[in-house]
């Protein structure tokens, strides 16, 4: 059988299964009963592997045609062809043909986690079989665990890890301010009044690693701690004190809750009492108390106004008695008002004033 080898090919000649030599471009005969067999290889395929590649490499015949790679279990090779990323090679033996292309080979250690490279975005898009891609989103932090152990904190961005080299887990933690509603909690005050309280807690994550490792659910743990803190603080105050100083009670609960939050890797930003719901009987009683209080306040104000009016009248009487001329002016004002509303004729004369005449008539 005739074998033709083109310029972009080479032939590998084996005799009785043993590699003998490299055949360049030309025409060769591969006789049916000959012990020599010729295998044709394409030099433009860049990456070449063969079951007997170790023997081919030892012969040194292929050294000038390409670079021989022997990748260990913890090594990977990044292949660049003519300045463009081509492929990632797993462990094994390879020959990288460099006759018809410009080849660049980067040998990297696959034990490092995560895998870092200046052109990670290009590599991760082209190669997904050997790399596991993880993304930490904006306003989050990533907690990296390697084989169950804490490794590092990842800032927002894209990360790649070698598959099957380690057990990789990335836990994202939200760094934004968050809120928890503590709804419908029945509490008892120091004077044995039962009420229902709704509160809101605002917090943020201060220590990402601690928030992941301290509890299986830090939000639920903070919720339970808030319930206990509010129950304790409200139980130390009577109803009137609690209703009049709600913010003070909230501040006390926030101070008590802060230490527990710090253990969870959280920071309390604010705690506020949103709603206070009293039982029906207590609500009616409070309404009656408020109604009586407002009525007493209204009665007091009315008495104060009457007293002020009487005092003003007494002062006016003293002033008119001491100044007869003011009294006459006052009489004229009264007559003017009467004349505006009726057809009245008034004749003044004599030494007696109008008020004196009226008193005499009476």
């Amino acid at each position: 059988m005739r074998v033709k080898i083109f310029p972009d090919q080479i032939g590998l000649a084996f005799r009785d299964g043993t590699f003998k030599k490299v055949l360049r471009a030309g025409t060769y005969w591969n006789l049916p009963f000959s012990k020599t067999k010729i295998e044709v290889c394409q030099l433009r395929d860049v990456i070449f592997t063969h079951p007997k590649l170790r023997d081919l490499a030892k012969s040194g015949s292929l050294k000038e045609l390409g670079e021989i790679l022997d990748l260990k279990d913890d090594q990977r090779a990044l292949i660049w062809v003519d300045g463009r990323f081509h492929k990632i090679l797993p462990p094994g033996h390879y020959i990288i043909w460099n006759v018809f292309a410009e080849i660049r080979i980067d040998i990297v250690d696959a034990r490092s986690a995560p895998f870092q490279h200046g052109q990670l975005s290009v590599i991760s898009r082209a190669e997904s079989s050997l790399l596991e891609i993880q993304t930490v989103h904006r306003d989050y932090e990533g907690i990296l665990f390697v084989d169950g152990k804490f490794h590092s904190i990842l800032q927002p961005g894209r990360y790649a890890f070698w598959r099957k080299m380690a057990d990789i887990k990335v836990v994202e933690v939200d760094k934004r301010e968050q809120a928890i509603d503590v709804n419908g909690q029945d509490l008892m005050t120091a004077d044995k009044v039962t009420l229902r309280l709704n509160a809101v807690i605002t917090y943020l994550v201060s220590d990402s690693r601690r928030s992941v490792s301290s509890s299986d659910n830090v939000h639920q743990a903070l919720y339970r701690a808030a319930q206990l803190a509010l129950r304790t603080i409200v139980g130390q105050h009577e109803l009137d004190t609690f209703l009049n100083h709600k913010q003070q009670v909230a501040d006390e609960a926030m101070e008590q809750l802060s230490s527990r939050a710090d253990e969870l890797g959280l920071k309390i930003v604010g705690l506020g009492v949103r709603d206070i719901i009293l039982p029906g009987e207590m609500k009616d009683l409070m309404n009656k108390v408020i109604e009586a209080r407002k009525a007493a306040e209204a009665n007091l104000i009315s008495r104060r106004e009457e007293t002020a009016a009487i005092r003003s009248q007494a002062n006016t009487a003293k002033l008119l008695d001491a100044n007869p001329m003011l009294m006459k002016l006052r009489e004229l004002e009264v007559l003017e008002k009467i004349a505006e509303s009726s057809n009245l004729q008034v004749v003044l004369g004599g030494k007696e004033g109008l008020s004196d005449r009226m008193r005499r008539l009476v």
Side-chain angles (χ1 to χ4, degrees), residues 47-51 53-54 57 67-77 79 88-96 107 130:
I47 300 172
F48 174 73
T49 185
H50 194 279
L53 188 57
R54 186 183 297 273
E67 185 170 346
I68 299 174
L69 298 181
D70 184 6
L71 299 178
K72 309 303 181 184
D73 290 338
D74 55 0
Q75 291 180 324
R76 303 291 185 271
I79 308 300
I88 298 178
L89 295 181
H93 288 86
Y94 306 90
I95 295 180
I96 311 300
I107 306 297
L130 298 178

Side-chain angles (χ1 to χ4, degrees), residues 327-328 331 348-360:
M327 184 63 184
K328 291 182 178 295
E331 292 173 358
L348 299 177
K351 295 182 180 180
E352 292 181 339
L354 179 62
S355 60
D356 294 333
R357 296 179 182 181
M358 295 296 294
R359 284 196 299 271
R360 186 162 51 83

Side-chain angles (χ1 to χ4, degrees), residues 14-29:
F14 293 87
R15 185 176 179 82
D16 291 332
T18 303
F19 174 71
K20 292 300 181 179
K21 62 180 179 178
V22 175
L23 304 178
R24 300 303 181 116
T27 302
Y28 303 87
W29 290 95

Side-chain angles (χ1 to χ4, degrees), residues 134-348:
Q134 296 278 355
T135 300
V136 179
H137 297 88
R138 184 181 62 183
D139 300 322
Y140 285 75
E141 278 187 347
I143 313 302
L144 173 60
F145 294 91
V146 179
D147 291 332
K149 298 179 180 179
F150 171 76
H151 184 274
S152 59
I153 295 178
L154 306 179
Q155 297 304 315
R158 195 175 192 183
Y159 298 87
F161 306 90
W162 296 110
R163 293 185 184 274
K164 300 181 181 180
M165 290 301 298
D167 180 19
I168 300 296
K169 184 177 182 180
V170 177
V171 180
E172 283 191 296
V173 178
D174 193 345
K175 298 291 289 184
R176 296 171 296 181
E177 189 174 290
Q178 303 179 62
I180 292 180
D181 291 326
V182 184
N183 294 325
Q185 186 178 8
D186 292 329
L187 305 176
M188 181 175 291
T189 62
D191 50 352
K192 309 303 180 183
V193 177
T194 302
L195 55 85
R196 177 165 295 183
L197 179 67
N198 295 330
V200 60
I201 303 170
T202 308
Y203 70 97
L204 52 80
V205 177
S206 58
D207 189 328
S208 300
R209 178 184 178 185
R210 188 182 301 175
S211 69
V212 171
S213 304
S214 60
S215 174
D216 60 339
N217 190 329
V218 292
H219 309 287
Q220 188 64 28
L222 181 62
Y223 178 85
R224 292 192 297 267
Q227 285 184 315
L228 295 176
L230 289 171
R231 185 178 298 276
T232 301
I233 298 300
V234 172
Q236 296 173 355
H237 296 80
E238 294 184 353
L239 178 61
D240 289 342
T241 304
F242 175 59
L243 294 178
N244 294 328
H245 302 89
K246 290 187 293 183
Q247 189 56 48
Q248 179 181 348
V249 173
D251 293 341
E252 292 179 13
M254 177 177 171
E255 182 178 356
Q256 180 174 331
L257 187 61
S258 295
S259 58
R260 175 55 179 161
D262 185 65
E263 295 175 357
L264 296 173
L266 307 177
K267 178 182 178 181
I268 303 298
V269 178
L271 190 153
V273 177
R274 189 171 58 188
D275 299 310
I276 300 174
I277 304 173
L278 297 173
E281 301 82 359
M282 182 57 64
K283 189 182 298 183
D284 295 339
L285 182 60
M286 292 292 294
N287 290 335
K288 292 180 180 179
V289 170
I290 294 174
E291 183 180 355
R293 185 179 299 168
K294 293 301 180 182
E297 291 178 357
N299 189 32
L300 179 61
I301 293 173
S302 177
R303 294 293 181 267
R304 288 176 180 174
E305 293 297 330
E306 291 178 359
T307 303
I310 294 173
R311 187 180 293 112
S312 177
Q313 290 178 356
N315 292 335
T316 302
K318 290 180 181 179
L319 185 61
L320 294 175
D321 185 61
N323 298 275
M325 186 58 69
L326 290 177
M327 184 63 184
K328 291 182 178 295
L329 292 174
R330 182 63 175 166
E331 292 173 358
L332 294 175
E333 290 178 359
V334 173
L335 290 174
E336 182 181 5
K337 291 182 179 179
I338 295 174
E340 290 177 354
S341 60
S342 62
N343 187 10
L344 178 66
Q345 293 181 355
V346 180
V347 179
L348 299 177

Side-chain angles (χ1 to χ4, degrees), residues 76-95:
R76 303 291 185 271
L78 309 180
I79 308 300
W80 305 79
V81 179
D82 293 332
R84 292 182 291 272
F85 177 73
H86 181 67
K87 191 176 180 61
I88 298 178
L89 295 181
H93 288 86
Y94 306 90
I95 295 180

